[in-house]
Amino acid sequence: MDTRGVGYAPGLVMEIPLDAGRFAYGVSLGSVYVRYHDQAWPEPMDDLDAVLATPTLFVLAGATEAIRTKRWRKVGQVQLTDEERRLPPFCMRQDSPPYRCYIVEVGDWPTKRLATPEECEGLEEMAVYRPEHVERRLNEHFAKRSSRRPAS
């Protein structure tokens, strides 16, 4: 199946190899959005319920290339409720004058509204991430180094 340019069904669980032989996991929320969990495991996990019980670290768009190229392994499929599939708000910033910040709500129909920098603080940037960028963020998070660009 050619998956270029398409996302994956909600509930697809992906295993992400990290530095030091550790593994992290992401769950497709539908389309191109993936929820990444805040746990690095020392070996591959068979217990997907244990993986899903860990807190969400972040939600990002991307990852289809990682699956298509077999960089990340598909390890299972789980049922997600509508609430579990709900996407958080994202932010968009203009890096040139007039330096505006927007909040984007992704749903059936995305909406964008002008926001203050304080409202955008702590939100993920609206962007599509390549697999190596996700891996770097996960590795740096678990190594207690920050790689996240502030949203404000």
Side-chain angles (χ1 to χ4, degrees):
M1 174 170 85
D2 184 6
T3 58
R4 287 177 287 204
V6 299
Y8 292 93
L12 173 68
V13 181
M14 297 162 275
E15 182 178 85
I16 305 157
L18 300 177
D19 292 347
R22 297 179 298 176
F23 298 89
Y25 291 84
V27 179
S28 172
L29 300 179
S31 183
V32 297
Y33 295 95
V34 177
R35 177 182 71 208
Y36 298 92
H37 287 264
D38 193 2
Q39 177 70 43
W41 304 88
E43 56 191 41
M45 285 294 292
D46 293 328
D47 185 354
L48 296 183
D49 289 334
V51 170
L52 297 177
T54 61
T56 297
L57 180 58
F58 47 75
V59 174
L60 303 174
T64 56
E65 176 185 347
I67 294 296
R68 183 175 48 80
T69 62
K70 297 185 169 82
R71 182 181 184 121
W72 298 351
R73 191 168 66 98
K74 297 177 191 177
V75 294
Q77 186 78 33
V78 297
Q79 284 294 115
L80 298 176
T81 66
D82 288 345
E83 184 62 31
E84 290 171 320
R85 289 181 55 197
R86 184 160 304 170
L87 295 171
F90 295 91
C91 75
M92 288 177 61
R93 293 184 301 155
Q94 289 179 284
D95 290 330
S96 57
Y99 302 110
R100 291 190 174 127
C101 180
Y102 298 90
I103 292 180
V104 179
E105 298 276 350
V106 180
D108 292 336
W109 193 258
T111 61
K112 178 174 89 169
R113 71 170 174 84
L114 188 60
T116 65
E118 293 78 22
E119 289 177 285
C120 289
E121 198 169 309
L123 298 179
E124 288 292 337
E125 294 270 348
M126 184 67 154
V128 176
Y129 289 78
R130 296 183 52 87
E132 56 270 23
H133 299 143
V134 174
E135 292 164 4
R136 184 183 75 231
R137 278 198 55 190
L138 289 167
N139 278 311
E140 291 187 358
H141 170 76
F142 294 123
K144 309 293 187 227
R145 298 185 306 262
S146 175
S147 66
R148 184 164 185 256
R149 179 178 168 187
S152 58

